Amino acid sequence: MLMGNIRDARCPCGFRSSVKIGGGMADYRENSAFPFHCKTCGLISVNVAKEERICPTCQSTEITQYGKEPVSLPGPHGSAVEWGNYKARAIDHLCPRCNQHTMAFDGPSIMFD
């Protein structure tokens, strides 16, 4: 059974946001999300079920998946945030507010299927 979830992202600078991870059983093949960093919009959830990766807010293609450099520092993943082949560890991510690698993803706050 597949299950999506909502994760809270936080940084010591005071930044807080939530992102969608994965998708529901009925439509995960068309709608599955993973956190990305958009150069314009910051932390976003991108539909990774679609071939084209774009920011859902500004339609920019200048986005980078969290879990990949340069928006995430290298290190063991530990499967903190995962959907299929998309993986990111819990800590050391670029914060869209302070531009430091101090943002972290908390455990799931809401789960859905």
Side-chain angles (χ1 to χ4, degrees):
M1 172 166 57
L2 299 172
M3 184 170 286
N5 60 82
I6 305 293
R7 299 279 180 131
D8 292 327
R10 59 178 168 69
C11 181
C13 76
F15 175 79
R16 290 197 181 284
S17 189
S18 296
V19 289
K20 183 178 172 186
I21 311 288
M25 286 176 35
D27 69 346
Y28 73 93
R29 287 188 176 106
E30 295 84 32
N31 294 300
S32 290
F34 200 80
F36 278 66
H37 181 270
C38 174
K39 288 187 178 186
T40 303
C41 302
L43 176 64
I44 56 172
S45 289
V46 170
N47 186 356
V48 294
K50 292 186 176 181
E51 183 102 6
E52 184 180 29
R53 306 284 185 263
I54 61 170
C55 175
T57 305
C58 71
Q59 279 64 59
S60 173
T61 57
E62 292 188 66
I63 60 174
T64 304
Q65 173 195 326
Y66 277 100
K68 304 271 186 185
E69 293 183 63
V71 298
S72 299
L73 296 179
H77 285 290
S79 299
V81 180
E82 185 173 353
W83 182 257
N85 293 327
Y86 297 88
K87 296 174 176 52
R89 58 196 194 135
I91 59 172
D92 298 333
H93 303 290
L94 182 66
C95 173
R97 179 184 286 170
C98 69
N99 291 315
Q100 301 296 313
H101 285 89
T102 49
M103 188 180 79
F105 292 108
D106 292 333
S109 59
I110 298 172
M111 299 183 90
F112 60 90
D113 66 2

